[in-house]
Amino acid sequence: MLTIKEYSVELIQDPFGILAGQRYEFVCDLDVPEEDELYSEQGVYLRVIFLKDGADSRIVKYDFYERTTDRYLDFDMEPEEEEELAAFCKEHAQAEA
C-alpha cells in the first residue's frame, strides 16, 4: 500500500497533440517504512503522468526517485498499488480541473 504524505498536481500542455485528453503530472512524497526495499533515508517521491480523456483515465507512466538526490529508483508497483494510485490521481485530477 502506498502512503502519500504530500502531493502536487499540474496540468501539462501537449503541444504536439500526441495523446487525446488532458495530461497531469503528479509529484507524490511517499512515506516508506524502513523495512520496505524501496526505503531510502533521503526520502522517496513518485512522479506520475496521468491521462484523463472523458470517462477514460489512466496512468501513462510513473517513476520513483530519491528525494534529496533525484536519483531514479528502478522499482515497479504491485497491481493493487497501481490501482490505488490511479484512483488517487483520478480523484485529485478532477479537483484540479
Side-chain angles (χ1 to χ4, degrees):
M1 182 169 120
L2 293 172
T3 304
I4 298 172
K5 296 190 299 188
E6 295 181 9
Y7 76 95
S8 64
V9 59
E10 182 178 332
L11 180 64
I12 301 173
Q13 299 302 318
D14 183 8
F16 303 107
I18 295 170
L19 297 172
Q22 296 175 310
R23 286 191 293 171
Y24 296 87
E25 178 184 43
F26 283 82
V27 177
C28 304
D29 282 320
L30 302 178
D31 185 12
V32 181
E34 283 188 45
E35 60 275 0
D36 194 308
E37 64 181 339
L38 182 61
Y39 177 79
S40 169
E41 286 185 20
Q42 286 78 23
V44 175
Y45 72 94
L46 183 60
R47 183 176 170 263
V48 183
I49 304 299
F50 185 75
L51 176 66
K52 186 174 142 192
D53 185 16
D56 183 39
S57 59
R58 64 185 168 89
I59 294 173
V60 175
K61 179 181 177 162
Y62 67 85
D63 294 305
F64 291 98
Y65 293 91
E66 195 172 63
R67 170 54 59 200
T68 55
T69 63
D70 288 327
R71 182 175 62 96
Y72 171 75
L73 302 172
D74 189 15
F75 285 94
D76 290 325
M77 282 190 267
E78 297 293 327
E80 307 83 40
E81 292 174 324
E82 201 166 335
E83 287 175 19
E84 181 184 337
L85 179 62
F88 175 88
C89 291
K90 182 176 181 178
E91 177 186 339
H92 290 90
Q94 288 174 347
E96 179 70 15

